[in-house]
Amino acid sequence: MARKIVITSGKGGVGKTAIAANLGARLAKNGKRTCALDADFGLNNLDVVAGVENLVVYDVSDCLEGKCRAKQALIQSPADKNFYVLPSVNAFLKGKTVPDELGSLISGLETSFDFVLIDCPAGVGGGFHTAVSAADEALVVVTPHISSLRDADKVLSVLRSYSLKSVGIIVNRVRGDLAVTGDVFTPEQIETALKAEVVGIIPEDDSMFLCNAGFLPYDAPPNKAFKILASNVAEGKRKMYDYASGYTGFFGSIRRSIKRNI
Amino acid sequence: MKRDNVIRLKRVIDTDRLSLTAESMELIVNDLSVALSDYFVLSEAPVIKVSPKDGKYEIDIRVSAEALKTFLPVP
């Protein structure tokens, strides 16, 4: 049976979709059959981030309307044979709300996958509740900014009212150079403020914008970070990406200085 | 993060977590007045201050009474 994990956040634009797609691709590369489902019906982008927008025939709304079976709408990602995407391309035209039947649809996928990642809409509206109701676990994506953390705290308080097996935080867009100088919140400070466990740290890097999910360059920092995150999620480990690496000491101060002046 | 911003975040989150609306506070004051009026002649309505402290809440209740009511506990 699949582990159903909702990827959520309070604030929009923190990287939920990118994390759902890249985490899905990484889990798949580790041999786990993974499905990433786009439940962000209003502002769907999972198909684009995963680089499968040209392969869409059916989508989630077609499944929910009975026009096709879920397996017909699944798209195998070019990144890995174990990674599938269930997009919601046409959902916006048919209504922005996430229907309650989504839970049944996800349950139907349980036997075919090891992981079902649900890309949730931002905020705590109806779509959020439907997506969370269909999940067993939650990952809350935050960035190291007060507005994101404030909204995440509200989402975490709502998530506590659900009987989820686990709720973790993924800190996205961490800039090591600013974190070591104390100019942005560190993941440790975020963990303390939100009173929830950080399960992953993703560094800010251009490759996240330039590459489709599953195609991050081997030496790109986010590639290593997703590798660690996938291991933490799949095996319950708590190893963290070293965001401060290269930014401490004498040479680190030079590197910070160069990065600030670019 | 610079200390003042950490304090700022803590203040913002603590304020949000304290989700007592003015109406909720009025309800608590009314209930407290009714309960305390069984034992005291209150000279004014209770004043309640709820503030987050170390992950918990500190509740200060300030009230003054003109007299104590005479009552005997049921034997």
Side-chain angles (χ1 to χ4, degrees):
Chain A
M1 294 292 272
R3 281 174 60 188
K4 296 173 285 183
I5 305 174
V6 64
I7 314 286
T8 186
S9 75
K11 190 177 173 294
V14 295
K16 284 184 300 298
T17 305
I19 284 178
N22 280 289
L23 174 60
R26 176 47 66 179
L27 285 167
K29 280 181 181 164
N30 291 352
K32 307 287 184 190
R33 282 177 63 82
T34 306
C35 170
L37 183 148
D38 197 347
D40 192 353
F41 279 17
L43 300 164
N44 49 294
N45 265 317
L46 186 61
D47 54 328
V48 174
V49 175
V52 298
E53 73 274 14
N54 293 328
L55 304 173
V56 178
V57 178
Y58 294 112
D59 77 342
V60 176
S61 60
D62 291 319
C63 300
L64 295 170
E65 287 175 11
K67 289 182 181 173
C68 68
R69 285 173 292 159
K71 284 181 181 176
Q72 288 176 281
L74 286 168
I75 302 166
Q76 191 175 40
S77 165
D80 195 279
K81 62 179 172 52
N82 285 326
F83 184 39
Y84 289 80
V85 176
L86 188 46
S88 69
V89 181
N90 299 315
F92 182 71
L93 303 172
K94 298 169 186 173
K96 293 177 191 174
T97 56
V98 183
D100 294 336
E101 294 80 18
L102 186 71
S104 312
L105 175 70
I106 293 171
S107 297
L109 296 170
E110 273 185 288
T111 51
S112 307
F113 292 98
D114 297 311
F115 286 91
V116 176
L117 305 179
I118 307 162
D119 183 23
C120 178
V124 286
F128 163 84
H129 287 287
T130 310
V132 174
S133 301
D136 302 321
E137 302 167 55
L139 291 172
V140 181
V141 182
V142 302
T143 57
H145 308 103
I146 289 182
S147 54
S148 162
L149 299 173
R150 179 191 203 180
D151 292 351
D153 187 64
K154 289 173 187 166
V155 165
L156 284 164
S157 70
V158 177
L159 288 174
R160 285 184 190 112
S161 65
Y162 283 88
S163 304
L164 296 170
K165 288 177 190 164
S166 71
V167 177
I169 298 172
I170 297 174
V171 188
N172 192 24
R173 303 181 67 179
V174 175
R175 274 190 60 177
D177 58 326
L178 297 181
V180 295
T181 54
D183 289 314
V184 296
F185 292 103
T186 63
E188 293 78 11
Q189 287 172 324
I190 291 169
E191 192 167 68
T192 305
L194 297 182
K195 293 176 185 164
E197 190 179 29
V198 171
V199 296
I201 297 167
I202 309 297
E204 170 107 319
D205 194 84
D206 290 345
S207 62
M208 285 289 285
F209 300 102
L210 300 172
C211 304
N212 288 335
F215 290 100
L216 289 167
Y218 180 76
D219 58 346
N223 191 43
K224 189 179 176 189
F226 275 109
K227 201 171 174 181
I228 294 169
L229 172 62
S231 170
N232 287 348
V233 169
E235 296 158 38
K237 292 179 181 173
R238 286 298 173 262
K239 192 181 169 188
M240 288 295 143
Y241 174 78
D242 184 8
Y243 61 87
S245 174
Y247 293 113
T248 52
F250 174 70
F251 291 107
S253 68
I254 294 171
R255 206 171 164 195
R256 290 200 306 271
S257 174
I258 292 168
K259 193 159 184 178
R260 279 189 181 214
N261 293 323
I262 287 175
Chain B
M1 192 70 178
K2 301 282 190 270
R3 184 151 175 78
D4 51 347
N5 269 328
V6 174
I7 292 167
R8 188 177 159 214
L9 172 65
K10 191 175 181 321
R11 197 176 57 237
V12 166
I13 286 177
D14 283 347
T15 307
D16 287 346
R17 282 176 185 167
L18 186 61
S19 55
L20 274 177
T21 60
E23 289 80 13
S24 310
M25 199 59 99
E26 197 182 323
L27 190 71
I28 297 170
V29 168
N30 288 343
D31 280 355
L32 261 176
S33 294
V34 170
L36 291 171
S37 293
D38 286 345
Y39 307 101
F40 307 100
V41 180
L42 300 182
S43 54
E44 59 185 24
V47 176
I48 305 173
K49 189 181 165 198
V50 182
S51 44
K53 191 179 180 185
D54 303 330
K56 295 181 178 176
Y57 294 98
E58 199 170 71
I59 304 162
D60 289 320
I61 301 170
R62 249 187 128 72
V63 61
S64 59
E66 289 170 3
L68 275 73
K69 286 185 178 176
T70 310
F71 64 90
L72 289 172
V74 178

